[in-house]
Amino acid sequence: MPAGDSAALEAQRQLALAAAHEKAAVEARATASRYGVASATEQRTARALAPLAAAGHHLLADRRWPGSRRAQVDMVVVGPGGVFVVDTKAWADVTIDRDRILRGQEDVTEDLMALADLAYRTEGELAEIGLAPGEVHAVAVLAGRQGVDERVGPVRVVGERDVLGLVARRGARLSPAQVDRVLARCLDWFGQVGAPAPVSTTLPEPVLPAPRVPDAAPVVVPALVPDDAAGEPLEVPAPRGPAGVAPLHDDEEARRTLLQGLLAAPVEEWMTFLHPAQAKVVRRSYNGPARIRGAAGTGKTVVGLHRAAYLARTREGKVLVTTYIRTLPDVLRQMLTRLAPDVVDRVEFAGVHETAKRILDEAGVRVRIDGKQIAAAWTAAWGKVAGGSIIDTDRHEQDYWHEEVASVIKGRGLTRWDQYADLPRLGRRHRLGLQQRRVVWQLYEAYDAELRDRGVHDFADQIALAEAELRRRPPAERYTAVVVDEAQDLTCVMLRMLHGLVGDATDGLTLVGDGQQTIYPGGFTLAEAGISVAGRGTVLDVNYRNTREILQFASMLVRDDEFADIEGATARGDRPAQVPRTGPKPLYVRCAGEADRQRRMVQRVQEVVAEVGTSFGDVGVLSLSRRGVDDATEALRRAGVPVVNLEQYDGVPVNRVKVGTVKRAKGLEFKQVLVVDPYASWFTDKPDGLDDVDRERREFRLRELYVAMTRARDGLWVASI
């Protein structure tokens, strides 16, 4: 279609929408006069909100207050922007001072807290159908005011002429089908006046306390029309309007915002709607550290993000979201910006090493990280101690012993030989005798000495120093909560450091992860880290991401895999109880060589983006090695395919194929995934004939492939040589 024709059609569409909006607004204003609202102020609020009907919102006026025989709710708005529980106040001489609201000299904060409590209970009621926390809002409308937009605790306080803009700015967050589901529940929850209240037959789970916000500067609320001294409802002359109804004021900005929200693309469904079990976990209160686990695709990261937002709403202070993957926090921050823009400034995103650096910087502890000097220290230590020794064999490369020192010894915070001599090396298949362990310990001591001689630290030192600093001087309530994504990838000392930020405070530490997706050596137990989650664990068991065909194909790789779970038991991995989605079978191709594989990869990318609803930005090309990433990137660019490396991807939507290692893809998902550098022998070799060294390598390799394949939502393509 020519660009001119497309622009003309879009202009016609907007004009039609605007006309429909105006017609619906007139009808809604006429209906507002028949709502039976008790006072003129409530009637004017109804008229102010009436244009929302054109954007798919439903206005429920004069409903029963759940749990009360007499109290009524002025207005409940249900629509694409969420749920708004609205109460109109004809208050004169209003001052908002920090988290209090004064009517003259009278403190009327408790009146608003009752509204906040109702919104909070409504949120819990709607969690039963999966509406995410943060989509229910308590709104107090000050009659006759304009230019007011403040908060008192969790209640949004706005002027009569500002309430339409408040709702309009939420945009389209719920689809029409979701609005229908929420509306049906709200019609039951906010019953008609005079109808009996529903009786709950289930005991509620413990949930987080009602939201609070930090102190704010005092605000004197201006009045559009002065109230009388008694604070009686305002009497405003009704100008002429359709059907004798006072028309809405001329609020063009709010109308434009409303129309823009109607035209805007909705947010992803997971940002506003969850499985009811997920929504309950987000709101649940734990009296200490807690763990959320589940197989790939069960929505752990989604729940972790929603929980971080919810904790930010319900607690004073900042919430830290952290993970081992350096680039993932930037992606999660972008997700939360869309998911919960109201609290994104109260959630801090940082990798574990970045967090350690901040702790040390604030304490004035100097740490010097120099990659070249670290490598030189290791090489020197190996030459002095390990070269030609009992551990210098063809079966083990130096990388294996570097992992042993970094992850097993330093990662678990060992400082004495006797600690290592008897240590159960969880996650490591290769057994070490006492003589071998002695050489490894000497290698660690030599490496440590070489680092000191060069005046440098490695990354494990950085974590250990930060953990020690927190023990020496506990933080002055820097964070109210810490949410750890991909917790299984952290070392013992990393978890001890993060635990040190919040201790055993209620809802202080939430660990999110899946032991089946462990791709780093150096296993440990939570008991070693001084953390207990006994009685505070939740398992998610519905796979929302993958199709049954993709999950079945990927699960074959790890069906016999056993791993040491961080809670201390040997596990085989969680299996989802439900996988609702189905799709095409994954494609596995055998290639003649690397050139053939690159040619087929480019062809596959071009095929999937030719499908309706799939763009370059929906495709992930994943490799187990950096070399595989470089080769795939070069081949795609030669073919004119736009590419972005996951090392540089920050979560901002971009129409480019995402190319990166499996490690960088953790926590992400794509419509189409291509896995581009396995060898056929990886799928065909049997573990029975392998020694413990090769078996350990095989297990980690297959777990990485499992992680790569389960990033795929709709299609999976695997090419081997």
Side-chain angles (χ1 to χ4, degrees):
M1 179 183 296
D5 292 347
S6 177
L9 285 174
E10 180 59 26
Q12 292 175 10
R13 176 171 175 264
Q14 292 201 26
L15 286 172
L17 283 170
H21 161 259
E22 194 60 38
K23 180 180 178 182
V26 170
E27 293 174 352
R29 288 197 296 268
T31 304
S33 66
R34 300 190 296 272
Y35 276 153
V37 184
S39 71
T41 56
E42 295 165 7
Q43 194 173 70
R44 288 209 315 276
T45 298
R47 288 198 298 267
L49 291 169
L52 291 170
H57 290 75
H58 303 266
L59 277 62
L60 311 180
D62 209 22
R63 308 295 291 190
R64 176 177 43 76
W65 190 292
S68 174
R69 293 183 178 180
R70 296 183 179 180
Q72 298 178 16
V73 182
D74 290 354
M75 181 77 64
V76 180
V77 179
V78 180
V83 178
F84 301 82
V85 184
V86 181
D87 191 24
T88 302
K89 300 295 184 182
W91 287 345
D93 191 20
V94 174
T95 302
I96 299 173
D97 186 0
R98 304 184 188 279
D99 59 352
R100 316 296 293 177
I101 183 168
L102 305 177
R103 182 186 182 191
Q105 299 300 313
E106 179 188 3
D107 190 331
V108 290
T109 306
E110 288 306 312
D111 286 17
L112 296 193
M113 291 306 101
L115 183 66
D117 179 68
L118 174 58
Y120 190 71
R121 291 192 294 121
T122 301
E123 184 177 74
E125 179 69 18
L126 296 176
E128 296 289 337
I129 61 170
L131 186 68
E135 302 303 322
V136 178
H137 312 275
V139 182
V141 177
L142 299 182
R145 268 67 167 182
Q146 67 177 350
V148 180
D149 189 353
E150 301 294 335
R151 281 189 180 273
V152 177
V155 181
R156 198 74 170 263
V157 181
V158 296
E160 175 187 309
R161 293 191 175 181
D162 308 302
V163 65
L164 177 62
L166 170 69
V167 178
R169 283 191 295 274
R170 293 290 296 174
R173 297 183 64 82
L174 303 182
S175 68
Q178 292 167 349
V179 171
D180 289 344
R181 290 176 62 189
V182 174
L183 177 63
R185 195 63 170 241
C186 283
L187 287 170
D188 183 52
W189 176 243
F190 297 102
Q192 291 183 346
V193 173
V199 178
S200 175
T201 58
T202 60
L203 293 175
E205 291 186 349
V207 297
L208 299 174
R212 293 177 59 85
V213 296
D215 293 344
V219 176
V220 178
V221 179
L224 175 65
V225 181
D227 287 334
D228 60 21
E232 294 295 321
L234 302 173
E235 296 294 337
V236 181
R240 294 179 180 179
V245 178
L248 182 70
H249 45 77
D250 188 17
D251 192 346
E252 290 303 325
E253 182 178 355
R255 289 172 181 269
R256 283 196 300 270
T257 303
L258 189 61
L259 185 58
Q260 289 169 357
L262 189 63
L263 294 171
V267 298
E268 287 86 344
E269 181 173 344
W270 65 264
M271 293 184 176
T272 55
F273 244 85
L274 303 171
H275 187 279
Q278 291 179 316
K280 291 178 182 178
V281 171
V282 170
R283 299 180 82 246
R284 185 169 181 177
S285 182
Y286 299 93
N287 63 348
R291 184 186 183 196
I292 300 171
R293 63 182 176 88
T298 53
K300 298 181 297 298
T301 297
V302 166
V303 169
L305 270 181
H306 276 283
R307 185 163 176 81
Y310 200 65
L311 288 165
R313 292 190 188 99
T314 56
R315 297 294 186 87
E316 295 183 3
K318 281 209 167 189
V319 174
L320 172 66
V321 176
T322 186
T323 187
Y324 183 78
I325 307 301
R326 176 180 57 81
T327 52
L328 187 54
D330 288 339
V331 177
L332 297 179
R333 182 185 294 107
Q334 289 295 332
M335 290 180 177
L336 193 74
T337 299
R338 300 186 67 204
L339 183 157
D342 57 315
V343 295
V344 69
D345 61 333
R346 297 187 57 214
V347 180
E348 188 174 297
F349 292 87
V352 176
H353 290 98
E354 183 182 356
T355 300
K357 184 178 184 302
R358 291 179 184 175
I359 293 170
L360 294 173
D361 287 346
E362 291 176 2
V365 177
R366 182 176 176 272
V367 173
R368 181 187 171 208
I369 305 289
D370 185 318
K372 291 183 178 179
Q373 289 297 324
I374 292 171
W378 173 260
T379 301
W382 179 267
K384 290 179 179 179
V385 173
S389 72
I390 193 173
I391 67 171
D392 186 11
T393 67
D394 293 338
R395 305 301 304 143
H396 294 87
E397 299 174 352
Q398 283 193 41
D399 285 348
Y400 184 89
W401 301 114
H402 192 276
E403 290 173 348
E404 184 78 11
V405 169
S407 299
V408 178
I409 295 178
K410 287 191 163 191
R412 292 170 83 161
L414 309 183
T415 57
R416 303 191 315 273
W417 154 247
D418 59 290
Q419 294 174 314
Y420 182 60
D422 300 323
L423 181 74
R425 298 164 58 253
L426 300 177
R428 307 231 85 178
R429 289 278 184 184
H430 181 54
R431 297 178 180 273
L432 293 184
L434 194 61
Q435 288 182 318
Q436 289 173 305
R437 291 195 185 213
R438 174 65 74 178
V439 175
V440 174
W441 187 259
Q442 291 171 350
L443 175 60
Y444 153 67
E445 291 180 321
Y447 172 56
D448 198 48
E450 290 290 340
L451 289 174
R452 289 197 303 271
D453 289 346
R454 288 168 168 76
V456 297
H457 304 86
D458 64 11
F459 288 103
D461 292 332
Q462 184 183 51
I463 299 294
L465 288 169
E467 191 267 336
E469 186 59 32
L470 289 177
R471 279 190 282 109
R472 187 182 72 85
R473 183 183 302 172
E477 300 182 5
R478 176 183 174 90
Y479 298 109
T480 188
V482 174
V483 177
V484 185
D485 195 29
E486 304 287 354
Q488 75 280 350
D489 288 338
L490 272 60
T491 66
C492 183
V493 180
M494 288 175 183
L495 273 188
R496 287 211 304 256
M497 178 192 74
L498 297 173
H499 184 221
L501 290 170
V502 289
D504 290 330
T506 297
D507 301 310
L509 182 65
T510 303
L511 305 178
V512 181
D514 171 26
Q516 185 77 76
Q517 298 182 63
T518 302
I519 58 176
Y520 296 97
F524 63 94
T525 65
L526 291 177
E528 289 181 66
I531 301 171
S532 172
V533 295
R536 297 185 295 274
T538 299
V539 180
L540 304 177
D541 62 358
V542 180
N543 183 300
Y544 308 94
R545 178 195 300 147
N546 312 124
T547 63
R548 294 177 196 173
E549 293 78 6
I550 290 172
L551 187 62
Q552 182 179 19
F553 185 85
S555 296
M556 290 176 60
L557 300 175
V558 293
R559 61 187 173 188
D560 299 322
D561 184 27
E562 289 187 351
F563 59 90
D565 187 66
I566 58 175
E567 290 188 54
T570 299
R572 282 186 176 271
D574 297 310
R575 292 291 178 264
Q578 299 178 47
V579 187
R581 299 177 61 238
T582 61
K585 291 183 178 180
L587 294 176
Y588 172 66
V589 297
R590 288 285 301 272
C591 303
E594 191 59 45
D596 183 40
R597 177 157 58 183
Q598 298 298 332
R599 180 186 61 79
R600 292 193 185 200
M601 175 199 66
V602 171
Q603 182 180 355
R604 175 63 178 174
V605 169
Q606 293 169 337
E607 288 173 353
V608 296
V609 297
E611 298 175 1
V612 176
T614 303
S615 65
F616 286 121
D618 297 321
V619 180
V621 175
L622 305 181
S623 166
L624 273 67
S625 67
R626 289 181 179 272
R627 179 176 178 179
V629 171
D630 293 341
D631 291 345
T633 299
E634 183 180 355
L636 289 167
R637 284 177 173 165
R638 281 201 308 266
V641 175
V643 171
V644 61
N645 193 305
L646 287 178
E647 292 268 3
Q648 284 79 48
Y649 178 59
D650 62 1
V652 176
V654 57
N655 192 25
R656 295 173 178 269
V657 173
K658 316 299 191 306
V659 184
T661 63
V662 177
K663 291 180 173 65
R664 295 299 176 195
K666 296 197 85 175
L668 305 179
E669 60 180 51
F670 312 91
K671 281 187 180 180
Q672 298 285 337
V673 165
L674 289 72
V675 184
V676 295
D677 65 349
Y679 287 87
S681 59
W682 295 357
F683 302 102
T684 57
D685 286 349
K686 301 298 182 182
D688 300 340
L690 302 177
D691 63 20
D692 52 7
V693 177
D694 285 334
R695 186 169 182 176
E696 181 179 330
R697 289 172 179 161
R698 178 180 182 273
E699 287 173 351
F700 277 106
R701 184 185 298 128
L702 293 183
R703 285 180 202 162
E704 281 201 77
L705 287 171
Y706 170 75
V707 170
M709 294 177 186
T710 54
R711 302 307 96 194
R713 294 202 305 264
D714 302 328
L716 173 64
W717 184 87
V718 181
S720 70
I721 297 176

